[in-house]
Structure formats: C-alpha cells, structure tokens
Amino acid sequence: MTYELYYWPEIQGRGEFIRLALEQAGADYVDVARGEGEDLPGLMHFMKDKSVPEPPFAPPYLKAGDLLIGQTANILLFLGGRHGLAPAEEGGRLWTHQLDLTVADFLVEAHDTHHPIGSGLYYEDQKPEAQRRAADFLAHRVPKFLGYFERVLARNPAGTGLLVGKDVTTADLSMFQMIAGLRYAFPKAMARIEPQHPGLVALHDRVAALPRIKAYLASPRRIPFNQDGIFRRYPELDP
Amino acid sequence: MTYELYYWPEIQGRGEFIRLALEQAGADYVDVARGEGEDLPGLMHFMKDKSVPEPPFAPPYLKAGDLLIGQTANILLFLGGRHGLAPAEEGGRLWTHQLDLTVADFLVEAHDTHHPIGSGLYYEDQKPEAQRRAADFLAHRVPKFLGYFERVLARNPAGTGLLVGKDVTTADLSMFQMIAGLRYAFPKAMARIEPQHPGLVALHDRVAALPRIKAYLASPRRIPFNQDGIFRRYPELDP
C-alpha cells in the first residue's frame, strides 16, 4: 500500500514529523501536494468537500487505504504501531505517544513566538508582542522542555541514549526535528542552552546519522527551513 | 482496580476532561490531590522524584495499575478504549482521538487569550496583549473551531447528533466542556456565536443530561469555574 501524505508543499511545518517517520519506516508514500503530481486541490478536497465524512481540521493528514488520519501525533501513533517505531506493548506505546504529544505542545509554543496574537495576522503586525513572547520562550520554556526531555533520556531504563527503550521511536525523530528547528530559528540562544543538554544533542546527531534519515536529509525531499514555516529566523527574536 | 487521577485540586483545567470521562465510564477513581486524602506531595512525586522512569511533563496524569499515563488526550485514548467511550475498531478510535486532539488545540488557544506572552507571568503583566489575542480568538478562531465541529456533527453518517458514530465518546464529553468553558469565559461573545452552531448547543445539553454526568455536575466533585483555571472571565476580554 502506498500512503498518501497531504501537507503544504513549501514548508517543513508539522508535515515534517510525518515525513521523518515515513522515511525512517522505509514506507512507500506520495507527498501529494509536492513534486510532479503537485495536487493542491487534492489537499483541499478533504477539508472542504462536503462528501468527506471525517474531515480533518488542518493538514497534515495521511491516507492509508480506507483510513484518513489527521493530527500529527495521531498519525505518528498510527505509523509507530505499523512500522515498529513504538513499542508494541500498551505501556510503551502510550509513553511514546505521550512524548510525541509533549513535543507537539513545545512546537505550538515555538510557533507562537512569531505569532503570539493571531495566526491569521502577519508577523509584522505583532512584532512587539513577538519579542516579549520569544524572550519568555527562550528564558523559561525552552530550558524547561529540553530539561524535561534530557531527564527522560537519562532515566530510560534501557540506557540507550534514546527516549524510549532500545529502539528508535517517533519520539526520537520528533525530538531531532525540534532541535533542528530551534537551531534554525534561534541560533544564538541554542548555542547558549544546548551545552546543558548533551544527551539531546547526541540524540539529534544520532537520528541525523540513521542511514534512511541521512539519505532523506540530503535529498530534495527535505524542504529547507524557511520563513514560512513554524520555525523562522527573525534576528530580533534571538538577540 | 481504582484509578488514581493526579491533577491540581482547585481548578477544572485539563483534569476536567479526564474527570468527565471517568464519571461517564462509572469508573472507580480517586482524585488524589483533592478531598480528605489531599495529597499534593503525591502529585509532585511523579514529576520531581528521580526514581520515576517515565515522568510526566505536567498534570494531569493517571495511574492505572502499573501504567502511569500523561497528556490529556492520551489519557482519554486509554480510557476510551477501556470503557467503551470510543469505537473499538481502529478507524473510529483514531477518528475520536483526532477530535480530542483538535479540542486540545482549541483549549490551548482559549488559555492563551489571558496568557499570550508567558504562562509564568501574571495576567496583569500581559493585559494589552491579552486584549488583542482575545479579540482575534473570538473573531476568527472560535467561529473556525465551532464551525468545524458543527460540520463533523452534521456529517456523522450515523446522524445521531453525536460527533462519532452512535454512542457517546470522549470527544462529545470534551466538546461539552469546551462549550461550558467558553460560556463561562466569554458570555457575551458566546451569546452572539452560539446560535450559528445549533448542533453543538444541542450536544452540550445532551451531555449535561446524561445521568452520570448530570449527577457529577451537581456534586461537590465538580469544581466551579474560577479565575485560576484555563477558562477565566475577564470582562475586558469579552467586551
């Protein structure tokens, strides 16, 4: 079966968490709105067409045979179970999902550094608020989240340097993406904060070196970070 | 087995979504930090004690035998499966979870109306920003989210007036709580917006009338809405 991923074609955004899981799974997938068969109407169909009984609120969503699955962490839950990117037993599966959901919370806060007032407004219309929010995010929230995930790494009874058990999970892939994104958006702050979280830095490097992820990152399938995504580099937010 | 719910004792907050599911399930549970056995150290233990191998980032979390489950939607996924508050088959289970996650996104935005800059700051330190964010939330986000869930109701092939299939799910309970919270926080705006979403208003009333939920809402176990929770009534944010 070929999965169909529906996401905006020009950003990493939330879709990137799904792309990383599909790539690490070695799954057969089409990124529907991108490339030769570029299909934005197809992307919009599932949100807009009245014939869709279970419409997603927003991309990304994944078509897997008859299933249409929305919400990033929900898709990861599904793919993790199908492709061994989460433990098979209930406790490990829920724990991995819990970590994916905590990454999702962290991601919203990263987004809101440049859009603290309204996602429908331009950044330029909320710059003073963005500066306050980004300062709070970098001073308090980034250390809190990274400190949390560093503790999770340290306490993993398997002692593998991974977040869950012995094998790579969606949580590891998602944490890689968070760190990569934070480095892009806040290079100065991350240079200060990172050394306090050596386990996460090592995890980032380890995920980047996984053969399938390494090949993906070097391919044109990996969209570069840019100023339309969730992670954006505004120097005034990273003084 | 008696579930142990860990959440702040003086607010509804995110814990309320779990309380509603436990009540509708008729489950045996202890709200650990509340009531006679009030146990805040117990609440903090799982976040702070180094002996906990899978620490939650924040309350609520649920102890279910040997399992310790964090993240509100993850707990609902677990309870939904155990207590028939979600369809048993994979597609329905994922769809219910997708809706719960979309409610969770909506809830963050409701919270951020009074804390758009930093959750560690006082409301009084971010009032001008809160006014801008709340205005955007009420003008754009509330209609968008409610419109979405109204469509989901309308398209439910079972035509039951519920969000998923024929039976009450965690998504219905969570939507009830969202509407109740929005009414508390933004009574004027909701009086304007609600009439456009009659299906959701009917769903709210239907959930409130479920025998177990009705008994719960009338009991001292239901903490009243207050100004420390996620939903807060600041008249200046609902002009």
PDB file of all heavy atoms in Angstrom, chain A residues 28 33 36 53 59 91-93 104 108 150 154 161 182 184 227 233:
ATOM      1  N   ASP A  28       6.402   3.298   1.634  1.00  0.00           N
ATOM      2  CA  ASP A  28       6.079   3.766   0.294  1.00  0.00           C
ATOM      3  C   ASP A  28       5.045   4.885   0.452  1.00  0.00           C
ATOM      4  O   ASP A  28       3.950   4.651   0.973  1.00  0.00           O
ATOM      5  CB  ASP A  28       5.484   2.573  -0.461  1.00  0.00           C
ATOM      6  CG  ASP A  28       5.420   2.808  -1.943  1.00  0.00           C
ATOM      7  OD1 ASP A  28       6.037   3.776  -2.429  1.00  0.00           O
ATOM      8  OD2 ASP A  28       4.734   2.011  -2.611  1.00  0.00           O
ATOM      9  N   ALA A  33       0.897  16.959  -2.459  1.00  0.00           N
ATOM     10  CA  ALA A  33       0.881  18.325  -2.985  1.00  0.00           C
ATOM     11  C   ALA A  33       2.224  18.762  -3.562  1.00  0.00           C
ATOM     12  O   ALA A  33       2.361  19.887  -4.040  1.00  0.00           O
ATOM     13  CB  ALA A  33       0.441  19.300  -1.885  1.00  0.00           C
ATOM     14  N   GLU A  36       6.029  16.262  -9.043  1.00  0.00           N
ATOM     15  CA  GLU A  36       5.442  16.232 -10.388  1.00  0.00           C
ATOM     16  C   GLU A  36       3.919  16.261 -10.367  1.00  0.00           C
ATOM     17  O   GLU A  36       3.285  16.961 -11.130  1.00  0.00           O
ATOM     18  CB  GLU A  36       5.897  14.966 -11.109  1.00  0.00           C
ATOM     19  CG  GLU A  36       7.341  15.053 -11.579  1.00  0.00           C
ATOM     20  CD  GLU A  36       7.755  13.782 -12.298  1.00  0.00           C
ATOM     21  OE1 GLU A  36       6.881  13.138 -12.894  1.00  0.00           O
ATOM     22  OE2 GLU A  36       8.945  13.433 -12.247  1.00  0.00           O
ATOM     23  N   PRO A  53     -16.724  12.386   5.118  1.00  0.00           N
ATOM     24  CA  PRO A  53     -17.452  12.225   6.383  1.00  0.00           C
ATOM     25  C   PRO A  53     -16.631  12.571   7.619  1.00  0.00           C
ATOM     26  O   PRO A  53     -17.187  12.942   8.648  1.00  0.00           O
ATOM     27  CB  PRO A  53     -17.834  10.738   6.398  1.00  0.00           C
ATOM     28  CG  PRO A  53     -16.850  10.075   5.505  1.00  0.00           C
ATOM     29  CD  PRO A  53     -16.448  11.088   4.476  1.00  0.00           C
ATOM     30  N   PRO A  59      -4.118  20.330   7.682  1.00  0.00           N
ATOM     31  CA  PRO A  59      -3.038  19.406   7.363  1.00  0.00           C
ATOM     32  C   PRO A  59      -2.029  19.362   8.527  1.00  0.00           C
ATOM     33  O   PRO A  59      -1.960  20.332   9.289  1.00  0.00           O
ATOM     34  CB  PRO A  59      -2.401  20.010   6.107  1.00  0.00           C
ATOM     35  CG  PRO A  59      -3.401  21.029   5.603  1.00  0.00           C
ATOM     36  CD  PRO A  59      -4.154  21.494   6.791  1.00  0.00           C
ATOM     37  N   GLY A  91       1.920  -0.077  27.413  1.00  0.00           N
ATOM     38  CA  GLY A  91       2.593   0.951  28.203  1.00  0.00           C
ATOM     39  C   GLY A  91       3.614   1.726  27.383  1.00  0.00           C
ATOM     40  O   GLY A  91       3.663   2.966  27.431  1.00  0.00           O
ATOM     41  N   GLY A  92       4.406   1.026  26.609  1.00  0.00           N
ATOM     42  CA  GLY A  92       5.430   1.682  25.802  1.00  0.00           C
ATOM     43  C   GLY A  92       4.829   2.504  24.669  1.00  0.00           C
ATOM     44  O   GLY A  92       5.352   3.572  24.307  1.00  0.00           O
ATOM     45  N   ARG A  93       3.745   2.011  24.148  1.00  0.00           N
ATOM     46  CA  ARG A  93       3.062   2.735  23.067  1.00  0.00           C
ATOM     47  C   ARG A  93       2.472   4.041  23.592  1.00  0.00           C
ATOM     48  O   ARG A  93       2.618   5.111  22.980  1.00  0.00           O
ATOM     49  CB  ARG A  93       1.961   1.821  22.509  1.00  0.00           C
ATOM     50  CG  ARG A  93       1.244   2.333  21.299  1.00  0.00           C
ATOM     51  CD  ARG A  93       0.320   1.246  20.712  1.00  0.00           C
ATOM     52  NE  ARG A  93      -0.540   0.615  21.704  1.00  0.00           N
ATOM     53  CZ  ARG A  93      -1.700   1.120  22.136  1.00  0.00           C
ATOM     54  NH1 ARG A  93      -2.151   2.265  21.638  1.00  0.00           N
ATOM     55  NH2 ARG A  93      -2.414   0.474  23.043  1.00  0.00           N
ATOM     56  N   ALA A 104       4.598  18.100  20.604  1.00  0.00           N
ATOM     57  CA  ALA A 104       3.583  18.910  19.910  1.00  0.00           C
ATOM     58  C   ALA A 104       3.272  20.189  20.699  1.00  0.00           C
ATOM     59  O   ALA A 104       3.102  21.266  20.121  1.00  0.00           O
ATOM     60  CB  ALA A 104       2.311  18.096  19.688  1.00  0.00           C
ATOM     61  N   VAL A 108       3.954  24.144  19.393  1.00  0.00           N
ATOM     62  CA  VAL A 108       2.992  25.261  19.374  1.00  0.00           C
ATOM     63  C   VAL A 108       3.636  26.504  19.984  1.00  0.00           C
ATOM     64  O   VAL A 108       3.491  27.621  19.469  1.00  0.00           O
ATOM     65  CB  VAL A 108       1.715  24.905  20.167  1.00  0.00           C
ATOM     66  CG1 VAL A 108       0.846  26.147  20.380  1.00  0.00           C
ATOM     67  CG2 VAL A 108       0.915  23.831  19.450  1.00  0.00           C
ATOM     68  N   GLU A 150      15.713  15.822  28.492  1.00  0.00           N
ATOM     69  CA  GLU A 150      17.034  15.327  28.925  1.00  0.00           C
ATOM     70  C   GLU A 150      16.870  14.348  30.098  1.00  0.00           C
ATOM     71  O   GLU A 150      17.553  13.318  30.160  1.00  0.00           O
ATOM     72  CB  GLU A 150      17.916  16.521  29.323  1.00  0.00           C
ATOM     73  CG  GLU A 150      19.352  16.157  29.680  1.00  0.00           C
ATOM     74  CD  GLU A 150      20.260  15.940  28.476  1.00  0.00           C
ATOM     75  OE1 GLU A 150      19.898  16.349  27.347  1.00  0.00           O
ATOM     76  OE2 GLU A 150      21.338  15.330  28.662  1.00  0.00           O
ATOM     77  N   ALA A 154      17.842  10.381  30.341  1.00  0.00           N
ATOM     78  CA  ALA A 154      18.705   9.874  31.406  1.00  0.00           C
ATOM     79  C   ALA A 154      18.043   8.741  32.171  1.00  0.00           C
ATOM     80  O   ALA A 154      18.713   7.844  32.677  1.00  0.00           O
ATOM     81  CB  ALA A 154      19.076  11.008  32.354  1.00  0.00           C
ATOM     82  N   GLY A 161      20.411   6.038  25.326  1.00  0.00           N
ATOM     83  CA  GLY A 161      20.548   7.361  24.729  1.00  0.00           C
ATOM     84  C   GLY A 161      19.368   7.714  23.844  1.00  0.00           C
ATOM     85  O   GLY A 161      19.347   8.772  23.220  1.00  0.00           O
ATOM     86  N   LEU A 182      14.810  24.543  16.307  1.00  0.00           N
ATOM     87  CA  LEU A 182      15.225  25.572  17.269  1.00  0.00           C
ATOM     88  C   LEU A 182      16.585  26.154  16.879  1.00  0.00           C
ATOM     89  O   LEU A 182      16.820  27.356  17.017  1.00  0.00           O
ATOM     90  CB  LEU A 182      15.280  24.978  18.684  1.00  0.00           C
ATOM     91  CG  LEU A 182      13.916  24.647  19.297  1.00  0.00           C
ATOM     92  CD1 LEU A 182      14.101  23.825  20.579  1.00  0.00           C
ATOM     93  CD2 LEU A 182      13.121  25.918  19.607  1.00  0.00           C
ATOM     94  N   TYR A 184      17.704  26.444  13.860  1.00  0.00           N
ATOM     95  CA  TYR A 184      17.472  27.351  12.726  1.00  0.00           C
ATOM     96  C   TYR A 184      16.897  28.686  13.198  1.00  0.00           C
ATOM     97  O   TYR A 184      17.354  29.749  12.794  1.00  0.00           O
ATOM     98  CB  TYR A 184      16.497  26.706  11.727  1.00  0.00           C
ATOM     99  CG  TYR A 184      16.063  27.667  10.649  1.00  0.00           C
ATOM    100  CD1 TYR A 184      16.907  27.987   9.588  1.00  0.00           C
ATOM    101  CD2 TYR A 184      14.813  28.287  10.708  1.00  0.00           C
ATOM    102  CE1 TYR A 184      16.533  28.898   8.616  1.00  0.00           C
ATOM    103  CE2 TYR A 184      14.416  29.197   9.737  1.00  0.00           C
ATOM    104  CZ  TYR A 184      15.284  29.500   8.684  1.00  0.00           C
ATOM    105  OH  TYR A 184      14.898  30.410   7.740  1.00  0.00           O
ATOM    106  N   GLN A 227      11.199  30.960   5.916  1.00  0.00           N
ATOM    107  CA  GLN A 227      10.480  31.940   6.726  1.00  0.00           C
ATOM    108  C   GLN A 227       8.959  31.823   6.640  1.00  0.00           C
ATOM    109  O   GLN A 227       8.227  32.694   7.126  1.00  0.00           O
ATOM    110  CB  GLN A 227      10.920  33.358   6.350  1.00  0.00           C
ATOM    111  CG  GLN A 227      12.397  33.625   6.633  1.00  0.00           C
ATOM    112  CD  GLN A 227      12.745  33.535   8.112  1.00  0.00           C
ATOM    113  OE1 GLN A 227      12.985  32.451   8.645  1.00  0.00           O
ATOM    114  NE2 GLN A 227      12.755  34.673   8.791  1.00  0.00           N
ATOM    115  N   ARG A 233      13.564  32.343  11.346  1.00  0.00           N
ATOM    116  CA  ARG A 233      14.694  33.070  11.898  1.00  0.00           C
ATOM    117  C   ARG A 233      14.485  34.580  11.760  1.00  0.00           C
ATOM    118  O   ARG A 233      14.716  35.159  10.709  1.00  0.00           O
ATOM    119  CB  ARG A 233      15.995  32.666  11.205  1.00  0.00           C
ATOM    120  CG  ARG A 233      17.213  33.394  11.792  1.00  0.00           C
ATOM    121  CD  ARG A 233      18.497  32.922  11.164  1.00  0.00           C
ATOM    122  NE  ARG A 233      18.818  31.546  11.535  1.00  0.00           N
ATOM    123  CZ  ARG A 233      19.786  30.832  10.961  1.00  0.00           C
ATOM    124  NH1 ARG A 233      20.520  31.369   9.998  1.00  0.00           N
ATOM    125  NH2 ARG A 233      20.022  29.597  11.362  1.00  0.00           N
TER     126      ARG A 233
END
